[in-house]
Structure formats: C-alpha cells, structure tokens
C-alpha cells in the first residue's frame, strides 16, 4: 500500500511558491515568447491561484486515466458506471481548468511530473491498476480515487478562501462542493 503524508495546504502552497512550481521557467534565449502570453501586472491572479491551477490540472488528468480504466473494466456495475460518470465530470472540469490556465498565461504542462503528492494518481499507480484484477482492482480504484477526491477537495476549498482571482476562487469553490458530493456517492458504493 502506498503511503502518503497529508500536507497542510498553506505549507504545500508555500512549498510550491518557494520551489518555483507556481511560475513557469523562463524560455531559453532566442525562444519565441509570443506563443505563451505573459500575465499582465494588472491581472487579478495570485501565486496561490497559479499554484492551485497547476496542481489541479495534472490531478484531474491523472485521476481521469484511472477512472477510464475503471469504467472500461468488468467491475461491479455501480463502480463502473460511477467511474464513467466521474471521468466525464473530470473532463469537463479539466476543460475549465485549462481555459483558466490559458487566461492566467501559464503553460499547459505538468510542473509536478514525477512528484508523488497526496491525491495525485501517479504513473506507477496506473501501471499497478493495469495489472490488478477483480476485487483487488476495484479496491485499489476506490482507495486512489477517494484520496484524489479528498485532497483535490481540500486544496480547492483552500483556494476558494485564500486565492486572489475571483474566477479561480469561484471555480475552486464549485469543485470543492462537487468533491464533497462525489465522496458521498463513493461512500454509498462501499456499503
């Protein structure tokens, strides 16, 4: 079983900010800077907003891949149909996150590539899921998606309270509320 430490959001956001994850690296000398618009100094977004969006985007991408596996498997019908519906919701959120990422002038790249973070479905998790079958697969999906829903809900709730850009805060609040409902549904599948 994979062990992850629950990192309080302020510490996580401070880490992201100090480690440079909240801002994209400068392009190499001579690179075309016109393809990625830089945020203007009057933009209402903050480093907290940037850190949140750059975390939520890969979290949704990776969870979506695991949900796609679960919906394609011969899992119990409630789990498979729930995974399919959740995957669809995550794709819709991902489209909104990418639009916001673009408006913030941030690249659509995974600045957390290779990081094993709370709530992040990793490539190793996906490889493991592909090898599992039956009840082992179902249990693994529930465990990983529960961790994803809890952590993405937690960071979204914090963004909705501490972020600077109203558009980011509204999206984060909506995602946090949706995550609470999705967790309730997942819990009902466990009964």
């Amino acid at each position: 079983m994979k062990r992850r430490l629950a990192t309080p959001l302020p510490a996580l956001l401070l880490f992201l900010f100090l480690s440079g994850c909240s801002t994209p690296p400068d392009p190499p000398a001579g690179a075309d800077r016109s393809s990625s618009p830089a945020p203007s100094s009057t933009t209402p977004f903050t480093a907290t907003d940037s850190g949140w969006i750059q975390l939520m985007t890969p979290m949704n991408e990776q969870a979506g891949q695991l949900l796609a596996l679960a919906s394609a498997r011969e899992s119990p019908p409630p789990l498979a149909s729930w995974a399919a519906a959740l995957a669809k919701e995550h794709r819709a959120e991902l489209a909104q996150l990418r639009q916001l990422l673009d408006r913030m002038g941030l690249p659509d790249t995974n600045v957390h590539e290779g990081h094993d973070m709370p709530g992040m479905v990793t490539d190793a998790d996906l490889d493991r899921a592909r090898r599992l079958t039956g009840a082992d697969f179902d249990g693994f999906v529930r465990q990983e998606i529960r961790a994803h829903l809890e952590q993405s809900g937690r960071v979204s709730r914090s963004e909705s309270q501490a972020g600077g850009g109203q558009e980011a805060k509204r999206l984060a609040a909506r995602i946090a509320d949706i995550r609470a409902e999705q967790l309730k549904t997942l819990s009902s599948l466990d009964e």
Side-chain angles (χ1 to χ4, degrees), residues 114-138:
H115 299 175
D116 186 8
M117 303 168 64
M120 180 77 75
V121 175
T122 65
D123 289 339
D125 294 332
L126 292 169
D127 289 341
R128 181 176 176 201
R130 288 181 188 103
R131 291 189 306 270
L132 293 172
T133 59
D136 291 336
F137 174 79
D138 298 342

Side-chain angles (χ1 to χ4, degrees), residues 109-180:
T109 57
N110 183 356
V111 297
H112 299 287
E113 187 76 37
H115 299 175
D116 186 8
M117 303 168 64
M120 180 77 75
V121 175
T122 65
D123 289 339
D125 294 332
L126 292 169
D127 289 341
R128 181 176 176 201
R130 288 181 188 103
R131 291 189 306 270
L132 293 172
T133 59
D136 291 336
F137 174 79
D138 298 342
F140 183 74
V141 167
R142 285 182 167 129
Q143 168 191 309
E144 293 301 306
I145 295 301
R146 177 174 281 108
H148 162 72
L149 295 174
E150 288 171 350
Q151 187 67 12
S152 61
R154 190 175 299 121
V155 298
S156 293
R157 181 66 63 208
S158 292
E159 162 61 16
S160 73
Q161 296 166 354
Q166 291 304 309
E167 186 178 6
K169 290 174 69 166
R170 279 192 302 271
L171 178 57
R174 191 165 61 247
I175 289 174
D177 291 343
I178 289 168
R179 290 297 185 269

Side-chain angles (χ1 to χ4, degrees), residues 27-46:
D32 179 13
R33 296 173 186 253
S34 64
S35 62
S36 180
S40 71
S41 60
T42 60
T43 213
F45 299 111
T46 65

Side-chain angles (χ1 to χ4, degrees), residues 93-105:
E93 282 178 10
L94 196 51
Q96 292 175 313
L97 289 166
R98 284 193 172 121
Q99 289 171 357
L100 188 54
L101 201 69
D102 186 51
R103 281 195 286 288
M104 292 172 78

Side-chain angles (χ1 to χ4, degrees), residues 64 66-75 79-85 87 91 137:
L66 183 57
L67 290 165
L69 284 174
S71 62
R73 290 278 183 103
E74 292 184 17
S75 295
L79 178 62
S81 61
W82 176 78
R91 284 191 301 273
F137 174 79

